[in-house]
Amino acid sequence: MELEYVYAALLLHQAGKSITEDAIKSVLQAAGIEVDEVKVKALCTALKEVNIDEAIKGAMVPAVVPAATAPQPAAAAQTPAEEKKEEKKEEKEEAASEETIAEGLSSLFG
């Protein structure tokens, strides 16, 4: 379906007019577009069962604004000893991960 046909239907809807074959033809002809009767008929048939307002609301995507991150409270700050423990855990996990990958590759390539 050509977009100008859909735009004609949306224009008629916005103006509060009935979306009929004649109305769509009139809008397209006023815009200097050569009208294809089959496309007009198909559009009108398809739009009979469509609630255009609901379709527009469903098509609109709200802009998502990222939430500002609040500064972490001082009470949640970790001591240097806790940070070192976490770093050691991360290093062990990375080493284990690399070993697992190496084992997997060796099993593939023998």
Side-chain angles (χ1 to χ4, degrees):
M1 180 70 54
E2 303 289 328
L3 285 179
E4 57 265 18
Y5 292 83
V6 176
Y7 291 150
L10 288 172
L11 180 65
L12 290 166
H13 174 76
Q14 183 66 30
K17 306 285 183 181
S18 296
I19 300 174
T20 63
E21 290 180 32
D22 289 334
I24 290 175
K25 286 181 208 174
S26 296
V27 170
L28 293 172
Q29 288 170 345
I33 297 170
E34 188 176 326
V35 178
D36 182 347
E37 299 284 333
V38 174
K39 290 180 182 178
V40 172
K41 188 176 211 77
L43 178 66
C44 287
T45 303
L47 290 178
K48 283 182 181 176
E49 302 298 320
V50 175
N51 181 336
I52 295 175
D53 289 322
E54 290 298 317
I56 291 171
K57 286 179 187 174
M60 297 176 79
V61 178
V64 177
V65 179
T69 57
Q72 298 295 326
Q78 296 177 341
T79 64
E82 290 175 341
E83 290 177 5
K84 287 181 183 177
K85 287 180 184 177
E86 285 186 18
E87 287 176 11
K88 288 180 182 178
K89 287 180 186 177
E90 289 176 6
E91 289 174 6
K92 287 181 183 178
E93 289 174 3
E94 288 177 11
S97 174
E98 290 174 6
E99 290 173 6
T100 306
I101 292 171
E103 289 174 7
L105 289 175
S106 66
S107 69
L108 284 174
F109 299 109

